[in-house]
Amino acid sequence: MFEKKRILFLLATSALLVSCGGGGGDTPGTTAAASTGGATSTNASGGAQPAGGTTAANSGTPAAGSTTTQKPPATSPGSTTPAPTAVDQKLNGYVEVVANQILYIRRNRIIYLPVVMSEFESDRGIVDVAAGSPVAHIDGLEAQAAAAGCNRTNDGTCAVQPPAAAPAAPIAAFGIRVSKYVLPTAAGQAVGNQTVVGRIAIDLTERTDSPGLSASEVPEIMRFVIDKVELSTNQNGELASVKVQDGAQIHVYGRSASGVEVRENIPAPAGTVRILPMVDVPDNHGDTTSFFLLLDLETGFSQAGRKLAALENIAGHFAMHLTLSSLQELVRPAAGATAESPALERKELVGQSITVNDQPPVSGAGINGNAWIRMYPPQ
């Protein structure tokens, strides 16, 4: 299966040259677009902070009426056993995307790579995506980063060592840059002292035009839900904590090119979903008003063992959807045109409803785009 994907290197080289950037040795134009100086929100670096001190009356618990209970389908056609019921709590207020940015790890793992989300949303999508590592430490990575000109002071994290061996992780890590301030959707809405628990889902389905997909093969799929994801705000309405609770699981559905299907549940270790501070990101300009809401998928898939062996080499051009059930609204604010990016209209970002195995659908705010996975043969 993996051999068929070697053709991607020849067909996608031009896309790589356009999309990679953000660190030493990368294309200067992309670095500029990815920096905080690009299209920014009102709460980006140096922006105005919303009025603090608004405290929710229901301190430490979700607001009344913020719980959504969904009726799941039966576990299989004709089954009389109901599937699990999920309760998705909704965060009061809305969250803003900052600088039109998402983030992932480069294939060579030298640096976290922030890029404009508009690139992800385009038909081409993001490229050079690092998939899960088969080892927990890559020897010589720091030296490779130094040789590539990566500088910690200017570029943030320079050598992104895998936190654990997780060869079935489809992407090493993926994040959305958001303002830390949760903003009220109506005057007087309380956004402070909230704790809500929900789910995050990702759907990666190989496009039918993906190079190397032969007539005897089917598009590959990797779809999963991370449950028990907790989001908390402090008394000032700042998003202060993002984590998976004890006992959280990742529910996985996958299909290989030969049609082999996999349905598994694996533990979601601490750190699977977390906050990545801007100090670890290239061109952060000292910003302390935003961070990346990060899915550390190598950590998440580190306890899969051989359960997902059939999915370890999926590769190609994938449609990618990410949905967060706990966010009622995720907003990309309007921004004026810059030398690096066109003007943006305000947009509410709505995720695709994603269903995995017998789990209830995950719906809510989210982002939708495209991603090239495992661009190269193993190095």
Side-chain angles (χ1 to χ4, degrees), residues 86-106:
V87 177
D88 293 320
Q89 300 169 330
K90 299 289 186 181
L91 196 70
N92 279 347
Y94 69 93
V95 175
E96 276 192 341
V97 173
V98 173
N100 188 30
Q101 276 189 348
I102 60 169
L103 172 143
Y104 59 98
I105 298 176
R106 288 178 55 183

Side-chain angles (χ1 to χ4, degrees), residues 4-365:
K4 78 152 191 180
K5 300 296 183 175
R6 292 176 184 269
I7 191 171
L8 293 176
F9 172 76
L10 298 175
L11 295 178
T13 300
S14 60
L16 263 173
L17 295 176
V18 173
S19 295
C20 291
D26 293 318
T27 307
T30 306
T31 302
S35 72
T36 54
T40 56
S41 79
T42 54
N43 289 320
S45 180
Q49 175 178 342
T54 302
T55 305
N58 55 330
S59 175
T61 60
S66 66
T67 299
T68 302
T69 303
Q70 304 185 44
K71 290 185 178 180
T75 54
S76 61
S79 171
T80 58
T81 302
T85 299
V87 177
D88 293 320
Q89 300 169 330
K90 299 289 186 181
L91 196 70
N92 279 347
Y94 69 93
V95 175
E96 276 192 341
V97 173
V98 173
N100 188 30
Q101 276 189 348
I102 60 169
L103 172 143
Y104 59 98
I105 298 176
R106 288 178 55 183
R107 170 66 183 170
N108 62 9
R109 306 191 68 99
I110 287 178
I111 204 166
Y112 283 109
L113 181 62
V115 298
V116 290
M117 186 159 56
S118 303
E119 188 77 10
F120 172 67
E121 294 173 321
S122 72
D123 185 64
R124 178 178 60 216
I126 56 176
V127 298
D128 195 31
V129 179
S133 175
V135 297
H137 186 274
I138 300 174
D139 295 337
L141 183 59
E142 289 74 13
Q144 294 175 38
C150 189
N151 181 285
R152 169 74 189 184
T153 301
N154 298 328
D155 298 322
T157 299
C158 279
V160 189
Q161 287 284 359
I171 298 175
F174 187 87
I176 307 172
R177 185 176 175 187
V178 297
S179 170
K180 69 180 182 181
Y181 306 109
V182 177
L183 303 174
T185 54
Q189 183 183 41
V191 296
N193 290 335
Q194 300 183 79
T195 295
V196 297
V197 180
R199 298 173 295 157
I200 298 177
I202 285 183
D203 183 341
L204 289 159
T205 299
E206 189 174 16
R207 294 165 47 133
T208 55
D209 61 353
S210 181
L213 186 62
S214 72
S216 63
E217 295 173 325
V218 294
E220 295 166 317
I221 297 173
M222 192 157 185
R223 193 177 293 147
F224 54 93
V225 174
I226 306 169
D227 65 20
K228 296 185 179 180
V229 179
E230 178 185 294
L231 283 68
S232 297
T233 62
N234 62 19
Q235 64 180 1
N236 295 320
E238 299 173 3
L239 193 57
S241 174
V242 178
K243 64 180 182 179
V244 292
Q245 296 181 329
D246 292 346
Q249 289 191 314
I250 303 177
H251 310 278
V252 182
Y253 169 78
R255 185 179 70 189
S256 70
S258 62
V260 175
E261 293 187 319
V262 175
R263 292 177 175 85
E264 289 289 351
N265 302 309
I266 60 176
T272 296
V273 184
R274 61 185 174 88
I275 288 172
L276 180 73
M278 291 302 297
V279 69
D280 287 334
V281 179
D283 304 320
N284 57 71
H285 299 286
D287 178 29
T288 60
T289 66
S290 68
F291 51 71
F292 280 90
L293 194 163
L294 188 76
L295 278 66
D296 185 341
L297 298 181
E298 281 181 322
T299 292
F301 282 80
S302 63
Q303 296 185 31
R306 302 301 298 166
K307 290 183 177 181
L308 306 177
L311 308 177
E312 289 181 0
N313 289 326
I314 64 170
H317 196 186
F318 287 77
M320 179 173 175
H321 307 279
L322 188 157
T323 303
L324 305 97
S325 72
S326 290
L327 295 186
Q328 297 199 61
E329 288 187 57
L330 180 65
V331 174
R332 177 167 50 194
T338 69
E340 295 84 21
S341 60
L344 294 172
E345 295 182 355
R346 186 183 188 276
K347 181 179 181 181
E348 292 187 16
L349 302 171
V350 180
Q352 174 176 285
S353 179
I354 299 173
T355 302
V356 175
N357 302 334
D358 62 354
Q359 298 297 304
V362 178
S363 60

